[in-house]
Amino acid sequence: MPFLRIETNLPKEKIPPNFLKEMTVVFAKTLGKPESYTAVGVQPGMMLIFAGTDEPCAQITVTSIGCLGVAENKTHSKAISDKIFSDLGISPSRMYIVFNDVPSSQVGFKGTTFHELMG
């Protein structure tokens, strides 16, 4: 169920058409989760300032049931920020990534929770 949300001050026109699909592949791979359960969202055009300037920037939220931790998050941070930099031109020094490891009972899917579906 991992979900990646990218909020950026870049306008929608600056987001390549294939970015969501390619980011999904990168995100699923770094977490070791199937693409079929992975969701990626981009919110462009945000009124967002980072370090006092409106140069391109992003705030990113990663939510997952497991696969997060001290060592893992370093790997995820690199994979996510590298892809965003290569495709959107946002420097890793102009983004924050927040990691949320949530219990399976706190994520709904198919009218129930992942706790019920996966035990």
Side-chain angles (χ1 to χ4, degrees):
M1 75 56 50
F3 180 71
L4 175 69
R5 180 177 178 86
I6 303 165
E7 297 174 337
T8 179
N9 60 355
L10 287 178
K12 183 178 179 183
E13 302 77 45
K14 298 272 186 170
I15 310 297
N18 58 345
F19 178 72
L20 286 172
K21 177 61 180 158
E22 291 180 8
M23 189 74 240
T24 299
V25 172
V26 169
F27 186 51
K29 182 178 178 183
T30 191
L31 287 174
K33 302 249 184 173
E35 283 182 56
S36 60
Y37 279 105
T38 304
V40 174
V42 176
Q43 182 66 50
M46 297 284 296
M47 293 178 64
L48 186 61
I49 287 183
F50 190 102
T53 77
D54 63 357
E55 294 173 38
C57 60
Q59 53 190 24
I60 300 150
T61 306
V62 173
T63 304
S64 181
I65 299 170
C67 298
L68 301 178
V70 174
E72 296 91 339
N73 291 355
K74 291 177 189 177
T75 301
H76 304 327
S77 184
K78 178 154 179 45
I80 293 165
S81 61
D82 284 355
K83 181 65 175 167
I84 290 172
F85 180 63
S86 73
D87 287 19
L88 305 182
I90 300 172
S91 169
S93 66
R94 303 254 330 136
M95 63 180 83
Y96 286 132
I97 304 173
V98 177
F99 297 94
N100 297 306
D101 192 353
V102 296
S104 60
S105 62
Q106 299 297 310
V107 181
F109 183 62
K110 295 184 177 180
T112 186
T113 66
F114 272 98
H115 178 72
E116 188 70 27
L117 293 169
M118 305 190 138

